[in-house]
Coordinates of all heavy atoms in Angstrom, one line a residue:
P763 N -8.1 83.4 -54.7 CA -8.2 84.3 -53.6 C -6.9 84.8 -53.0 O -6.9 85.5 -52.0 CB -8.9 83.4 -52.5 CG -8.5 82.0 -52.8 CD -8.3 82.0 -54.3
V764 N -5.8 84.4 -53.5 CA -4.5 84.8 -53.0 C -4.0 86.1 -53.6 O -4.1 86.3 -54.8 CB -3.4 83.7 -53.2 CG1 -2.0 84.3 -52.8 CG2 -3.8 82.5 -52.4
S765 N -3.6 87.1 -52.7 CA -3.1 88.3 -53.1 C -1.6 88.4 -52.9 O -1.2 88.1 -51.8 CB -3.8 89.5 -52.4 OG -3.2 90.7 -52.7
G766 N -0.8 88.8 -53.8 CA 0.6 88.9 -53.6 C 1.3 87.5 -53.7 O 2.2 87.3 -52.9
G767 N 0.8 86.6 -54.5 CA 1.3 85.3 -54.6 C 0.4 84.5 -55.4 O -0.4 85.0 -56.2
N768 N 0.5 83.1 -55.3 CA -0.4 82.3 -56.1 C -1.0 81.2 -55.2 O -0.4 80.8 -54.1 CB 0.3 81.7 -57.3 CG 1.5 80.9 -56.9 OD1 1.4 79.8 -56.4 ND2 2.7 81.4 -57.1
T769 N -2.1 80.7 -55.5 CA -2.8 79.7 -54.7 C -2.0 78.4 -54.5 O -2.0 77.8 -53.4 CB -4.2 79.3 -55.4 OG1 -5.0 80.5 -55.5 CG2 -5.0 78.3 -54.6
E770 N -1.3 78.0 -55.5 CA -0.5 76.8 -55.4 C 0.6 76.9 -54.4 O 1.1 75.9 -53.9 CB 0.2 76.5 -56.8 CG -0.8 76.1 -57.9 CD -1.6 77.3 -58.4 OE1 -1.1 78.5 -58.2 OE2 -2.7 77.1 -59.0
D771 N 0.9 78.1 -53.9 CA 2.0 78.3 -52.9 C 1.4 78.3 -51.5 O 2.1 78.6 -50.6 CB 2.7 79.6 -53.2 CG 4.1 79.7 -52.6 OD1 4.8 78.6 -52.6 OD2 4.5 80.7 -52.1
R772 N 0.1 78.0 -51.4 CA -0.6 78.0 -50.1 C -1.2 76.6 -49.9 O -2.4 76.4 -50.2 CB -1.7 79.1 -50.0 CG -1.2 80.5 -50.3 CD -0.3 81.1 -49.2 NE -0.2 82.5 -49.4 CZ 0.6 83.2 -50.2 NH1 1.4 82.5 -51.0 NH2 0.7 84.5 -50.2
P773 N -0.5 75.6 -49.4 CA -1.0 74.3 -49.3 C -2.3 74.1 -48.6 O -3.1 73.3 -49.0 CB 0.1 73.5 -48.6 CG 1.4 74.3 -48.8 CD 0.9 75.7 -48.9
M774 N -2.5 74.9 -47.5 CA -3.8 74.8 -46.8 C -5.0 75.2 -47.6 O -6.1 74.8 -47.3 CB -3.7 75.6 -45.5 CG -4.9 75.4 -44.6 SD -5.2 73.7 -44.0 CE -4.0 73.6 -42.6
L775 N -4.8 76.0 -48.6 CA -5.8 76.4 -49.5 C -5.8 75.7 -50.8 O -6.9 75.4 -51.4 CB -5.7 77.9 -49.8 CG -6.6 78.6 -50.8 CD1 -8.0 78.6 -50.2 CD2 -6.1 80.0 -51.1
A776 N -4.7 75.4 -51.3 CA -4.5 74.8 -52.7 C -5.3 73.5 -52.9 O -5.8 73.2 -54.0 CB -3.0 74.6 -53.0
W777 N -5.4 72.7 -51.8 CA -6.1 71.4 -52.0 C -7.5 71.5 -52.3 O -8.1 70.7 -53.0 CB -5.9 70.6 -50.7 CG -6.6 71.1 -49.5 CD1 -6.2 72.0 -48.6 CD2 -8.0 70.8 -49.1 NE1 -7.1 72.3 -47.7 CE2 -8.3 71.6 -47.9 CE3 -9.0 70.0 -49.6 CZ2 -9.5 71.5 -47.3 CZ3 -10.2 70.0 -49.0 CH2 -10.5 70.7 -47.8
I778 N -8.2 72.7 -52.0 CA -9.6 72.9 -52.3 C -9.8 72.9 -53.8 O -10.8 72.5 -54.3 CB -10.1 74.2 -51.6 CG1 -10.0 74.0 -50.1 CG2 -11.5 74.5 -52.0 CD1 -10.4 75.3 -49.3
F779 N -8.8 73.5 -54.5 CA -8.9 73.6 -55.9 C -8.1 72.5 -56.7 O -8.0 72.6 -57.9 CB -8.4 75.0 -56.3 CG -9.1 76.1 -55.6 CD1 -8.4 76.8 -54.6 CD2 -10.4 76.5 -55.9 CE1 -9.0 77.8 -53.9 CE2 -11.0 77.5 -55.2 CZ -10.4 78.1 -54.2
S780 N -7.6 71.5 -56.0 CA -6.8 70.5 -56.6 C -7.7 69.4 -57.3 O -7.3 68.7 -58.2 CB -5.9 69.8 -55.6 OG -6.6 69.1 -54.6
E781 N -8.9 69.3 -56.8 CA -9.9 68.3 -57.3 C -11.3 69.0 -57.4 O -11.7 69.8 -56.5 CB -10.0 67.1 -56.4 CG -8.7 66.3 -56.3 CD -8.9 65.0 -55.5 OE1 -10.1 64.6 -55.3 OE2 -7.9 64.5 -55.0
D782 N -12.0 68.7 -58.5 CA -13.3 69.2 -58.7 C -14.3 69.0 -57.6 O -15.1 69.8 -57.2 CB -13.9 68.7 -60.0 CG -13.2 69.3 -61.2 OD1 -12.4 70.3 -61.1 OD2 -13.4 68.7 -62.3
A783 N -14.1 67.8 -56.9 CA -15.0 67.4 -55.9 C -14.9 68.4 -54.7 O -15.9 68.8 -54.1 CB -14.8 66.0 -55.4
Y784 N -13.7 68.8 -54.3 CA -13.5 69.7 -53.2 C -13.9 71.1 -53.6 O -14.5 71.8 -52.8 CB -12.0 69.7 -52.8 CG -11.5 68.4 -52.2 CD1 -10.3 67.9 -52.7 CD2 -12.2 67.8 -51.2 CE1 -9.8 66.7 -52.2 CE2 -11.7 66.5 -50.7 CZ -10.5 66.0 -51.2 OH -10.1 64.8 -50.7
T785 N -13.6 71.5 -54.8 CA -14.1 72.8 -55.3 C -15.6 72.9 -55.3 O -16.2 74.0 -54.9 CB -13.6 73.1 -56.7 OG1 -12.1 72.9 -56.8 CG2 -13.8 74.6 -57.1
E786 N -16.3 71.8 -55.6 CA -17.7 71.8 -55.6 C -18.3 72.0 -54.2 O -19.2 72.7 -54.0 CB -18.2 70.5 -56.2 CG -19.7 70.4 -56.3 CD -20.4 71.5 -57.0 OE1 -19.9 72.1 -58.0 OE2 -21.6 71.8 -56.7
I787 N -17.6 71.3 -53.2 CA -18.0 71.5 -51.8 C -17.9 72.9 -51.4 O -18.7 73.5 -50.7 CB -17.2 70.5 -50.9 CG1 -17.5 69.1 -51.3 CG2 -17.5 70.8 -49.5 CD1 -16.6 68.1 -50.5
Y788 N -16.7 73.5 -51.8 CA -16.4 74.9 -51.5 C -17.5 75.8 -52.1 O -18.0 76.7 -51.4 CB -15.1 75.2 -52.1 CG -14.6 76.7 -52.1 CD1 -14.3 77.4 -50.9 CD2 -14.5 77.4 -53.3 CE1 -13.8 78.7 -51.0 CE2 -14.0 78.7 -53.4 CZ -13.7 79.3 -52.2 OH -13.2 80.6 -52.2
H789 N -17.9 75.6 -53.3 CA -19.0 76.4 -53.9 C -20.3 76.1 -53.2 O -21.1 77.1 -53.1 CB -19.1 76.1 -55.4 CG -17.9 76.6 -56.2 ND1 -17.8 76.3 -57.6 CD2 -16.9 77.4 -55.9 CE1 -16.7 77.0 -58.0 NE2 -16.2 77.7 -57.0
Q790 N -20.6 74.9 -52.8 CA -21.8 74.6 -52.1 C -21.9 75.4 -50.8 O -23.0 76.0 -50.5 CB -22.0 73.1 -51.9 CG -22.2 72.3 -53.2 CD -22.2 70.8 -52.9 OE1 -22.0 70.4 -51.8 NE2 -22.5 70.0 -54.0
Y791 N -20.8 75.4 -50.1 CA -20.8 76.1 -48.8 C -20.9 77.6 -49.0 O -21.6 78.3 -48.3 CB -19.6 75.8 -48.0 CG -19.7 74.5 -47.2 CD1 -18.6 73.6 -47.2 CD2 -20.8 74.2 -46.5 CE1 -18.7 72.4 -46.5 CE2 -20.9 73.0 -45.8 CZ -19.9 72.1 -45.8 OH -20.0 70.9 -45.1
F792 N -20.3 78.1 -50.1 CA -20.4 79.5 -50.4 C -21.8 79.9 -50.8 O -22.4 80.9 -50.3 CB -19.5 79.9 -51.6 CG -18.5 81.0 -51.3 CD1 -17.2 80.9 -51.7 CD2 -18.9 82.1 -50.7 CE1 -16.3 81.9 -51.4 CE2 -18.1 83.2 -50.5 CZ -16.7 83.1 -50.8
S793 N -22.5 79.0 -51.6 CA -23.9 79.3 -51.9 C -24.8 79.3 -50.7 O -25.7 80.1 -50.6 CB -24.3 78.2 -52.9 OG -25.6 78.4 -53.5
Q794 N -24.5 78.3 -49.8 CA -25.3 78.3 -48.6 C -25.1 79.5 -47.7 O -26.1 80.1 -47.2 CB -24.9 77.0 -47.8 CG -25.6 76.9 -46.4 CD -25.1 75.7 -45.6 OE1 -24.2 74.9 -46.1 NE2 -25.6 75.6 -44.4
F795 N -23.9 80.0 -47.6 CA -23.6 81.2 -46.9 C -24.3 82.4 -47.5 O -24.9 83.2 -46.7 CB -22.0 81.4 -46.9 CG -21.6 82.7 -46.3 CD1 -21.7 83.0 -45.0 CD2 -21.0 83.7 -47.2 CE1 -21.2 84.2 -44.4 CE2 -20.6 84.9 -46.6 CZ -20.7 85.1 -45.3

């Protein structure tokens, strides 16, 4: 989701994609939304 840079350079966002468990929660909330 980062434009003009990379996700790894945004610590507040990068952790969501650092582990599958967090990414899955992210996808679950997206699906609910």
Side-chain angles (χ1 to χ4, degrees):
V764 172
S765 173
N768 58 75
T769 302
E770 293 73 21
D771 203 37
R772 307 289 196 278
M774 185 60 84
L775 175 68
W777 67 271
I778 296 175
F779 305 105
S780 66
E781 295 185 20
D782 290 343
Y784 295 131
T785 308
E786 179 59 28
I787 295 173
Y788 171 71
H789 286 174
Q790 288 174 359
Y791 279 135
F792 234 134
S793 187
Q794 179 184 355
F795 173 67

